[in-house]
Amino acid sequence: LAQVRAASAMESADEDEGWANVSREEWLRKLDCADLFESDIHNVVLNYLAVQGFQDAAEAFAAEAQLQPEVPLDSVGRRAAIRQSVLAGDVQGAISILQALDGSILLSFPEVHFRLRQQQLCKIIADGEVERAIEFARQVVLPFVDENVRALRHH
């Protein structure tokens, strides 16, 4: 994949043409000329399984393909649970999972913590709970911003 990307980038720079202008046929022709290795394809599949939260499938695939994953696969299920909580609007649930995994993780990444609290505030507003949103902003968001203003300014 790295070779495909490098060759594509060089061709794109030489032709002064972005990938948005490449037709399907041209893409397939260029792909036919590229060297694809089985290990590259295996890594893409493993990455997909891990990102989508299919922990059991990712573990079985890694064992079968004899791959050494870049991230511990036992974290895939936890990541999926956090992602699902956020997508379902249960930001507090996601925060609880993160804190249970590592009590200092949100302290180490204040911008992530802020974005989660911001998402939580947006959900309260979307639910039409104006008074609760004002109170949440005063009690949770504002003190958080005051404590982490430097970290938030850089992002």
Side-chain angles (χ1 to χ4, degrees):
L1 286 176
Q3 290 175 342
V4 171
R5 286 187 194 125
S8 297
M10 289 173 56
E11 285 182 35
S12 181
D14 290 343
E15 296 170 6
D16 223 15
E17 179 180 352
W19 280 105
N21 298 326
V22 175
S23 69
R24 182 177 188 273
E25 292 76 22
E26 179 69 9
W27 169 253
L28 291 173
R29 186 185 66 73
K30 289 181 180 188
L31 191 59
D32 282 340
C33 297
D35 291 329
L36 289 177
F37 300 100
E38 190 174 354
S39 62
D40 292 333
I41 294 169
H42 286 169
N43 282 315
V44 168
V45 170
L46 180 60
N47 183 42
Y48 173 81
L49 293 171
V51 167
Q52 295 303 316
F54 301 115
Q55 182 174 344
D56 293 340
E59 289 171 346
F61 184 77
E64 179 69 27
Q66 298 177 343
L67 296 174
Q68 293 299 321
E70 293 178 17
V71 296
L73 293 179
D74 62 349
S75 69
V76 171
R78 293 186 299 259
R79 288 177 175 200
I82 293 164
R83 179 177 176 223
Q84 187 58 37
S85 291
V86 171
L87 292 174
D90 182 14
V91 177
Q92 186 57 50
I95 290 171
S96 296
I97 295 168
L98 285 165
Q99 289 175 332
L101 291 172
D102 180 351
S104 66
I105 194 163
L106 292 174
L107 295 173
S108 300
F109 298 97
E111 66 281 359
V112 172
H113 194 186
F114 174 72
R115 296 291 180 215
L116 287 169
R117 292 300 188 187
Q118 184 180 40
Q119 183 68 29
Q120 198 171 12
L121 177 60
C122 289
K123 172 82 168 90
I124 295 168
I125 294 169
D127 289 345
E129 300 180 50
V130 178
E131 294 297 322
R132 183 170 168 235
I134 292 169
E135 199 60 32
F136 184 83
R138 282 187 185 144
Q139 291 182 355
V140 178
V141 178
L142 185 59
F144 181 85
V145 170
D146 289 344
E147 293 170 14
N148 297 283
V149 70
R150 232 185 323 221
L152 297 173
R153 227 183 246 154
H154 292 95
H155 293 280

Coordinates of all heavy atoms in Angstrom, one line a residue, residues 95-109 113:
I95 N -17.8 8.3 29.2 CA -16.9 8.8 30.2 C -16.7 7.8 31.3 O -15.5 7.6 31.7 CB -17.4 10.2 30.7 CG1 -17.3 11.3 29.6 CG2 -16.6 10.6 31.9 CD1 -17.9 12.6 29.9
S96 N -17.7 7.2 31.7 CA -17.6 6.2 32.8 C -16.7 5.0 32.4 O -15.9 4.5 33.1 CB -19.0 5.7 33.2 OG -19.8 6.7 33.7
I97 N -16.9 4.6 31.1 CA -16.1 3.5 30.6 C -14.6 3.9 30.6 O -13.7 3.1 31.0 CB -16.6 3.0 29.2 CG1 -18.0 2.4 29.3 CG2 -15.6 2.0 28.6 CD1 -18.6 2.2 27.9
L98 N -14.4 5.1 30.1 CA -13.0 5.6 30.0 C -12.4 5.6 31.4 O -11.2 5.2 31.6 CB -12.9 6.9 29.3 CG -13.1 6.9 27.8 CD1 -13.4 8.3 27.3 CD2 -11.9 6.4 27.1
Q99 N -13.1 6.2 32.3 CA -12.6 6.3 33.7 C -12.3 5.0 34.3 O -11.4 4.8 35.1 CB -13.5 7.2 34.5 CG -13.4 8.7 34.1 CD -14.4 9.6 34.8 OE1 -15.4 9.1 35.2 NE2 -14.0 10.8 34.9
A100 N -13.2 4.0 34.0 CA -13.0 2.7 34.6 C -11.8 2.0 34.0 O -11.1 1.2 34.7 CB -14.2 1.8 34.3
L101 N -11.5 2.3 32.7 CA -10.3 1.7 32.1 C -9.0 2.3 32.6 O -8.0 1.6 32.9 CB -10.3 1.9 30.6 CG -11.4 1.1 29.8 CD1 -11.5 1.6 28.4 CD2 -11.1 -0.3 29.9
D102 N -9.0 3.6 32.8 CA -7.8 4.3 33.2 C -8.3 5.7 33.8 O -8.7 6.6 33.1 CB -6.9 4.6 32.0 CG -5.6 5.3 32.4 OD1 -5.5 5.8 33.6 OD2 -4.7 5.4 31.6
G103 N -8.3 5.8 35.1 CA -8.8 6.9 35.8 C -8.1 8.2 35.4 O -8.7 9.3 35.6
S104 N -6.9 8.2 34.8 CA -6.2 9.4 34.5 C -6.3 9.8 33.0 O -5.7 10.8 32.5 CB -4.8 9.4 34.9 OG -4.1 8.4 34.2
I105 N -6.9 8.9 32.2 CA -6.9 9.1 30.7 C -7.5 10.4 30.3 O -7.0 11.1 29.4 CB -7.5 7.9 30.0 CG1 -7.1 8.0 28.5 CG2 -9.0 7.9 30.1 CD1 -7.3 6.7 27.7
L106 N -8.6 10.8 30.9 CA -9.2 12.1 30.5 C -8.4 13.3 31.0 O -8.5 14.4 30.4 CB -10.7 12.2 31.0 CG -11.6 11.2 30.2 CD1 -13.0 11.2 30.8 CD2 -11.6 11.4 28.7
L107 N -7.7 13.1 32.1 CA -6.8 14.2 32.6 C -5.6 14.3 31.7 O -5.1 15.4 31.5 CB -6.3 13.8 34.0 CG -7.4 13.8 35.1 CD1 -6.8 13.3 36.4 CD2 -8.0 15.2 35.3
S108 N -5.2 13.2 31.1 CA -4.1 13.3 30.1 C -4.4 13.9 28.8 O -3.6 14.4 28.1 CB -3.5 11.9 29.9 OG -3.1 11.3 31.1
F109 N -5.7 13.8 28.5 CA -6.2 14.4 27.2 C -7.4 15.3 27.4 O -8.5 15.0 27.1 CB -6.6 13.2 26.3 CG -5.5 12.3 25.9 CD1 -5.3 11.1 26.6 CD2 -4.6 12.6 24.9 CE1 -4.2 10.3 26.3 CE2 -3.5 11.8 24.6 CZ -3.3 10.6 25.3
H113 N -11.7 15.2 26.7 CA -12.6 15.3 27.8 C -13.5 16.5 27.6 O -14.8 16.4 27.7 CB -11.9 15.5 29.2 CG -12.7 15.4 30.4 ND1 -12.3 15.6 31.6 CD2 -14.0 15.0 30.5 CE1 -13.3 15.4 32.5 NE2 -14.3 15.0 31.8

